[in-house]
Amino acid sequence: MIDNRPTSERYHEAATAWVEADAAASLLEETRSAVLSDMVTEMLSKNISMAVNRAEALVKSSSRWRAFVTDMVELRRKANMAKVTMEYIRMRHSEEMSQEATHRAASRI
């Protein structure tokens, strides 16, 4: 499907998608230690005699933690793909400008 919208409009849409995806990925990355602390605290509240390092090890080996990390990595992947799309539009526009300039120069000869 050909998109006949102006390049600036397509770029703006791609850039906005990247910003949103990057924010979602960054949120999980920035809250990683807080989520880990919450999960460790939750485990310790169930067993107050457990050592903190043991609780952390159990949390990090849990499916819940694995799901959190998987989600975080997947959101970063989506953000990276959105950035690739944005950069592709920018690169394609640059190529089109170069081709037009070449065509204009050739038609003057």
Side-chain angles (χ1 to χ4, degrees):
M1 183 170 133
I2 297 175
D3 191 344
N4 292 324
R5 295 177 300 154
T7 302
S8 59
E9 188 175 322
R10 289 183 291 131
Y11 182 84
H12 180 263
E13 182 179 286
T16 301
W18 173 63
V19 166
E20 294 299 323
D22 186 62
S26 294
L27 179 63
L28 284 188
E29 291 166 353
E30 293 298 324
T31 60
R32 182 180 183 163
S33 62
V35 169
L36 177 62
S37 293
D38 286 347
M39 292 172 75
V40 168
T41 299
E42 183 181 315
M43 182 162 290
L44 289 172
S45 70
K46 293 176 185 173
N47 186 350
I48 58 174
S49 63
M50 184 182 290
V52 173
N53 63 336
R54 173 76 176 137
E56 186 173 325
L58 289 172
V59 165
K60 286 184 175 179
S61 67
S62 71
S63 59
R64 189 171 153 209
W65 179 253
R66 194 172 302 110
F68 176 82
V69 172
T70 300
D71 290 347
M72 181 176 62
V73 170
E74 179 61 15
L75 286 176
R76 178 53 57 204
R77 185 194 68 77
K78 287 179 179 178
N80 288 340
M81 285 305 299
K83 187 171 184 179
V84 166
T85 299
M86 181 185 74
E87 291 300 325
Y88 169 78
I89 292 168
R90 182 192 319 240
M91 185 181 297
R92 186 71 190 122
H93 178 68
S94 178
E95 289 171 350
E96 289 169 0
M97 294 292 98
S98 179
Q99 287 173 355
E100 288 175 14
T102 301
H103 179 68
R104 282 191 307 271
S107 65
R108 281 188 228 128
I109 295 176

